[in-house]
């Protein structure tokens, strides 16, 4: 081999056979050198060189950076691919869920007659919500919301990537789980997701927001957001918020009010303008409010504003917040509102469709955005409350927490005579203190039941002039019971005697118990006819007798607890009747005998604006008694107001008719007065007033200074009816028919001392009704003749009109003994009610009334 090594490409020389212990040759045909004493061999030198290369700070720094950058880029690419795959998979796997029921729920609103003034509302839980449609949502509010919450709303696709990145960074560095969201994301969170603050929910929120932004228009998303977002004070949605904060509809908000409401969205509880102290809401709200106005100016400058406003108005508005009315106390159910809403809901739940299925469930009533128009008049409601407060004794409270039996309860109700519509009522104490509505619960009816006995007797063939016993102590055949009249004393335990014979008119004027018990016993089916007549007129039966009830008894309430067809003293009013039902039953008499179903709901409109229920007057009408029987019964009740126990009700300007009532509990010396009534009507309205104590059957006599129906109840009635009818045209009642049919029982005909019928008088203008009743005689006009005759003709000028011969008259002439027949010669005076005394009930039967 030449010096210096072999030639290029020449195979290295063969080193010869390996001696024992020598290492094998390498691929170059060389054996490694043996280890150096105290030093590395050949391979150690190469490794040392490599180490020196990398440990050299001045060598290849750029290359190292490039290599690290490449690794990072590859990692980022892989992560991006994984993330993209995750997004794609999530987008396809996560579907838009069903909307949260709570955020779909809308409050149902209840209005007075006319559909404008609100009575109250039904809502699910504490959520006050009133959704608006896209067309109803004001553009001004939309602009303010975009300026306050998401200024890129019209450009973004439902999510804000920069905002999400900032949120992730903030969450990673601070440990928080919050973050800004677009309007679409907030809408999705409210309507479709829970309020939990987790990463998984944020992922769902983003994915669903992307999908919603493709499925709905920006206008629909913005409207949905403004309908679901929380504004504080229990108000969900801008419509509820506008009414809560400014007492107006959203469409009536001005720029300042719209900006203030959307500013509150950022911190509904903290930004409440009524907060005081160090963290005053108004102070904190002002800055956010000004931020919103600035955003609205930017929207306007960019041509994105939907409403009309100018920069000068915005600048001027920045100076101060709008004026916020002082918040009202939570009175959604306070006062009489709770009683009214309860009546409305009860009736809504009772309504049926053609198949007999409920029209409305409780869930639909509370959360489906119904608009319910009632028959109630705000004037009638306020009038009833004022009248009770003015008349009732001031020292008798409606709620006595220390001793409930000393609470005085007043129930009153007014019904439209022609329609059966409940116009107003007073249910007693504040609903928040007690949920018992005494206008709908009622108490023992007492003598207010007697007009139905009279109507049944007239239709059976008796007349107003037929006579009945007026003496106390009447025994009921087949029993040991004794009926007493008022005015009882130790000397006269059976009560006042009005004479052996009194007419039906006199019996009604003085509310004579014995007369009406005898009258009911003289009917073809006895007391069952009285029960049936009362039910037909509008007094609902007890539930056990409902299947046999002779009329549609949908009433308030639907049943009277003890309106029993087997009660042979039903005429004395032991049954518990509500003032609402009593007012409607008396309206039947005033309406010529036609009963209308009493009702409080006139129309219901659903959330889409479709009328789903409307009261049909024909469905609630039914003839309860003949027109003549109604007119004659009404005449007897007019006499009660003119000459009898109800004189204190005759002070109103309109013609009036009515009946006092006082019921007693217990028997004998243990009996006491438990309720006092006055029920009556004008040709337009019917009202019933009831006074009770404690649980409804507490003692009134000895506790109230005056406990007769003619006192507090009649005075309250006059206050109500006088106010409600003062502005009405004067209407007259029909004349009495003076019915006189074939009586089913002898012994009740009028004596020779009976009052004669009104003498018929000639009249040129005589109505058919008056002619039928014998109240006038038409004048016949003379026939025209060209030649005069020597004989006068009927109706000749100057000739007296003809009158019936005295021998043809069936009416007796008055005699000197008339006072005996009427009872006017009595020297003693009965109590004002004519039906009291604490013992007019049968001696051995507890719980009967008078």
């Amino acid at each position: 081999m030449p010096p210096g090594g072999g030639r290029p490409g020449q195979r290295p020389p063969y080193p010869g056979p390996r001696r024992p212990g020598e290492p094998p040759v390498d691929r170059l045909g060389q054996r490694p050198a043996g280890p150096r004493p105290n030093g590395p061999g050949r391979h150690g030198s190469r490794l040392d060189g490599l180490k020196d290369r990398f440990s050299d700070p001045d060598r290849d720094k750029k290359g190292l950076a490039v290599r690290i950058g490449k690794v990072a880029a590859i990692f980022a690419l892989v992560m991006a691919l994984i993330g993209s795959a995750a997004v794609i998979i999530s987008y396809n796997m996560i579907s838009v869920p069903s909307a949260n029921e709570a955020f779909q729920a809308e409050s149902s609103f209840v209005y007075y007659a006319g559909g404008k003034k609100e009575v109250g509302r039904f809502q699910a839980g504490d959520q006050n919500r009133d959704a608006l449609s896209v067309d109803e949502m004001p553009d001004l509010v939309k602009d303010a919301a975009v300026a306050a919450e998401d200024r890129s709303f019209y450009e973004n696709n439902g999510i804000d990537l920069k905002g999400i990145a900032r949120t992730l960074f903030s969450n990673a560095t601070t440990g928080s789980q919050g973050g800004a969201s677009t309007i679409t994301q907030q809408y999705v969170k409210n309507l479709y997701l829970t309020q939990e603050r987790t990463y998984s929910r944020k992922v769902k929120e983003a994915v669903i927001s992307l999908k919603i932004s493709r499925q709905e228009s920006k206008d629909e998303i913005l409207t949905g957001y403004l309908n679901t977002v929380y504004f504080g004070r229990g108000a969900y949605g801008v419509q509820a918020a506008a009414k809560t904060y400014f007492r107006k509809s959203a469409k009536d908000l001005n720029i300042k009010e719209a900006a203030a409401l959307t500013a509150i969205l950022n911190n509904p509880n903290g930004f409440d303008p009524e907060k005081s102290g160090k963290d005053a809401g108004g102070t904190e709200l002002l800055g956010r409010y000004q931020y919103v106005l600035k955003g609205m100016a930017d929207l306007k400058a960019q041509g994105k504003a939907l409403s009309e406003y100018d920069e000068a108005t915005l600048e001027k508005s920045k100076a101060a917040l709008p004026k916020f009315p002082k918040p009202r106390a939570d009175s959604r159910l306070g006062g009489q509102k709770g009683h009214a809403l309860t009546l409305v809901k009860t009736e809504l739940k009772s309504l049926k469709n053609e198949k007999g299925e409920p029209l409305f469930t409780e869930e639909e009533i509370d959360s489906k955005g119904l608009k319910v128009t009632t028959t109630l008049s705000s004037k009638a409601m306020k009038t009833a409350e004022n009248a009770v407060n003015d008349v009732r004794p001031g020292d008798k409270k409606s709620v006595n927490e220390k001793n409930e039996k000393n609470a005085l309860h007043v129930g009153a109700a007014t019904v439209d005579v022609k329609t059966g519509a409940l116009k107003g009522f007073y249910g007693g104490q504040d609903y928040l203190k007690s949920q018992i509505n005494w206008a709908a619960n009622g108490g023992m009816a007492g003598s207010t039941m007697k007009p139905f006995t009279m109507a049944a007797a007239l239709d059976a063939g008796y007349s107003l002039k037929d006579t009945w016993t007026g003496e106390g102590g009447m025994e009921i055949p087949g029993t040991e019971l004794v009926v007493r009249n008022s005015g009882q004393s130790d000397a006269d335990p059976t009560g006042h005697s009005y004479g052996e014979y009194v007419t039906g008119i006199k019996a009604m004027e003085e509310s004579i118990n014995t007369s009406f018990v005898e009258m009911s016993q003289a009917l073809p089916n006895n007391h069952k006819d009285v029960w049936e007549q009362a039910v037909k007129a509008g007094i609902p039966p007890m539930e056990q007798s409902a299947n046999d009830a002779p009329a549609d008894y949908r009433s308030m309430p639907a049943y009277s607890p003890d309106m029993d067809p087997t009660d042979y003293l039903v005429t004395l009013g032991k049954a518990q009747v509500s003032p609402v039902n009593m007012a409607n039953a008396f309206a039947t008499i005033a309406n010529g005998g036609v009963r209308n179903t009493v009702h409080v709901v006139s129309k219901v409109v659903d959330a889409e604006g479709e009328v789903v229920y409307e009261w049909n007057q024909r469905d609630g009408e039914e003839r309860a008694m003949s027109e003549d029987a109604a007119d004659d019964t009404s005449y007897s009740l007019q006499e009660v107001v003119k000459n009898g126990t109800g004189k204190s009700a005759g002070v109103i300007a309109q013609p009036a008719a009515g009946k006092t009532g006082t019921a007693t509990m217990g028997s004998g010396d243990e009996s006491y007065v438990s309720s006092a009534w006055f029920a009556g009507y004008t040709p337009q309205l019917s009202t019933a007033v009831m006074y009770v104590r404690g649980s409804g059957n507490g003692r009134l006599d000895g506790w109230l200074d005056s406990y007769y129906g003619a006192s507090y109840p009649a005075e309250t009635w006059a206050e109500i009816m006088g106010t409600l009818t003062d502005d009405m045209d004067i209407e007259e009642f029909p004349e009495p028919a003076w019915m006189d049919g074939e009586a089913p029982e002898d012994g009740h005909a009028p004596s020779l001392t009976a009052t004669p019928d009104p003498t018929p008088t000639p009249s040129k203008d005589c109505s058919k009704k008056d002619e039928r009743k014998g109240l006038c005689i038409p004048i016949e006009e003379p026939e025209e003749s060209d030649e005069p005759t020597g004989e006068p003709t009927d109706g000749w000028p100057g000739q007296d009109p003809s009158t019936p011969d005295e021998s043809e008259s069936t009416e007796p002439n008055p005699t000197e003994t008339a006072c005996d027949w009427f009872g006017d010669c009595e020297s003693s005076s009965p109590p004002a009610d004519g039906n009291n005394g604490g013992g007019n009930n049968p001696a051995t039967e507890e719980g009967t009334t008078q």
Side-chain angles (χ1 to χ4, degrees), residues 394-430:
D395 62 331
K396 307 299 182 183
K397 299 179 180 180
S398 59
V399 175
N400 190 319
E401 297 176 354
K402 295 182 179 180
N403 191 351
E404 179 58 28
K405 71 178 184 180
N406 285 333
L408 176 64
H409 305 299
V410 182
T414 299
V415 171
D416 189 307
V417 164
K418 301 297 192 298
T419 67
L422 180 63
K423 303 303 294 181
F425 70 89
Y426 179 75
Q429 69 295 316
D430 189 318

Side-chain angles (χ1 to χ4, degrees), residues 518-542:
E518 184 181 31
M519 193 182 299
S520 69
Q521 295 295 319
L523 295 174
N525 298 300
N526 306 120
H527 56 275
K528 181 66 182 293
D529 287 345
V530 178
W531 178 87
E532 183 172 328
Q533 179 63 85
V535 173
K536 283 183 176 180
I539 306 275
M542 61 192 297

Side-chain angles (χ1 to χ4, degrees), residues 353-557:
N353 60 20
E354 294 177 353
K355 298 179 180 179
E357 303 165 336
L359 273 179
F360 306 102
T361 64
E362 184 146 7
E363 179 187 2
E364 290 171 331
I365 295 169
D366 286 341
S367 61
K368 295 305 180 183
L370 303 177
K371 303 294 186 289
V372 182
T373 302
T374 71
T375 61
L376 297 173
S377 156
S378 60
K379 178 182 178 181
M381 292 292 290
K382 192 64 178 177
T383 296
E385 184 173 3
N386 290 342
V388 171
N389 291 334
D390 288 346
V391 175
R392 65 178 296 154
D395 62 331
K396 307 299 182 183
K397 299 179 180 180
S398 59
V399 175
N400 190 319
E401 297 176 354
K402 295 182 179 180
N403 191 351
E404 179 58 28
K405 71 178 184 180
N406 285 333
L408 176 64
H409 305 299
V410 182
T414 299
V415 171
D416 189 307
V417 164
K418 301 297 192 298
T419 67
L422 180 63
K423 303 303 294 181
F425 70 89
Y426 179 75
Q429 69 295 316
D430 189 318
Y431 181 85
L432 297 178
K433 295 182 179 180
S434 173
Q435 286 71 59
I436 297 176
N437 181 352
W438 293 99
N441 278 36
M444 296 173 71
S447 293
T448 53
M449 291 293 292
K450 289 174 179 174
F452 309 111
T453 305
M454 176 67 77
L458 291 167
D459 268 335
Y462 295 104
S463 76
L464 289 175
K465 301 170 190 175
D466 285 346
T467 58
W468 313 90
T469 181
E471 296 185 349
M474 174 185 172
E475 296 182 359
I476 304 294
T479 73
E480 296 181 357
L481 301 178
V482 176
V483 180
R484 299 176 173 86
N485 288 329
S486 62
Q488 299 165 39
S489 65
D490 292 338
D492 190 3
T494 61
H496 188 78
S497 176
Y498 295 86
E500 184 177 359
Y501 300 106
V502 296
T503 64
I505 295 175
K506 182 68 175 179
M508 189 70 80
E509 285 178 354
E510 300 298 343
S511 194
I512 304 173
N513 290 342
T514 53
S515 298
F516 280 95
V517 171
E518 184 181 31
M519 193 182 299
S520 69
Q521 295 295 319
L523 295 174
N525 298 300
N526 306 120
H527 56 275
K528 181 66 182 293
D529 287 345
V530 178
W531 178 87
E532 183 172 328
Q533 179 63 85
V535 173
K536 283 183 176 180
I539 306 275
M542 61 192 297
E543 189 169 4
Q544 295 88 327
S545 306
N547 292 334
D548 298 325
D552 172 12
Y553 46 88
R554 181 160 64 87
S555 307
M556 300 179 199

Side-chain angles (χ1 to χ4, degrees), residues 261-345:
L261 280 185
T262 53
I264 288 172
L265 287 175
N266 187 254
N267 188 357
N269 294 321
F271 284 171
D272 191 322
E274 285 299 314
K275 281 197 171 183
S276 58
K278 182 178 178 181
D279 299 323
T283 303
E284 297 295 326
L285 177 61
L286 179 59
R288 183 71 181 179
Y289 164 75
Q290 293 171 339
Y291 168 82
V292 175
L293 290 173
K294 183 180 182 302
M296 294 179 72
D298 292 341
L299 283 178
K300 189 71 174 179
Q302 297 168 15
K304 298 177 183 177
L306 302 176
S307 58
E308 293 295 330
Y309 51 87
D310 54 60
E311 186 175 346
T313 301
L314 293 174
E315 282 299 319
K316 184 178 179 181
S317 299
K318 289 181 182 179
L321 289 165
K323 183 178 180 181
F324 288 86
K326 190 169 183 64
R328 292 172 174 168
D330 184 9
S331 59
R332 186 169 63 91
L333 297 177
Q336 299 300 300
K337 287 184 179 180
H339 297 306
L341 291 173
T342 300
L343 285 180
V344 171
K345 177 176 280 192

Side-chain angles (χ1 to χ4, degrees), residues 132-288:
L132 299 175
S133 67
V134 171
D135 294 335
E136 292 172 329
M137 188 64 69
D139 289 339
L140 181 63
V141 175
K142 295 177 185 177
D143 289 340
V146 171
E149 294 294 302
D150 185 4
R151 296 182 181 180
S152 67
F153 173 72
Y154 293 111
E155 291 78 34
N156 65 51
N157 58 359
I159 61 174
D160 181 1
L161 294 177
K162 292 182 180 179
I164 292 175
R166 287 195 303 270
T167 299
L168 291 174
F169 179 78
S170 176
N171 292 349
T173 57
T174 66
S176 67
Q177 291 183 313
S181 298
T182 64
I183 281 177
T184 308
Q185 287 175 273
Q186 293 183 60
Y187 170 51
V188 165
K189 179 180 68 174
N190 290 338
L191 190 60
Y192 299 107
L193 302 175
T194 66
Q195 301 301 304
E196 63 178 348
R197 308 181 76 177
T198 62
Y199 290 116
S200 61
R201 196 222 72 198
K202 293 294 290 185
V203 171
K204 288 182 180 179
E205 178 185 300
V207 172
I208 296 172
S209 296
L210 287 171
K211 290 191 172 186
I212 289 295
S213 66
R214 293 187 175 185
Q215 296 174 6
E216 298 182 14
S217 68
K218 289 290 185 181
D219 214 11
E220 290 171 329
I221 292 172
L222 187 54
T223 299
Y225 166 74
L226 286 167
N227 277 331
T228 57
V229 69
Y230 182 57
F231 284 84
R233 296 190 188 176
Y236 287 79
V238 71
Q239 178 74 341
K243 293 180 179 180
T244 299
Y245 284 94
F246 295 108
R247 302 178 188 174
K248 61 175 65 175
S249 295
K251 65 182 178 64
D252 298 321
L253 295 172
N254 58 37
I255 290 178
K256 296 182 69 173
E257 293 164 343
L261 280 185
T262 53
I264 288 172
L265 287 175
N266 187 254
N267 188 357
N269 294 321
F271 284 171
D272 191 322
E274 285 299 314
K275 281 197 171 183
S276 58
K278 182 178 178 181
D279 299 323
T283 303
E284 297 295 326
L285 177 61
L286 179 59
R288 183 71 181 179

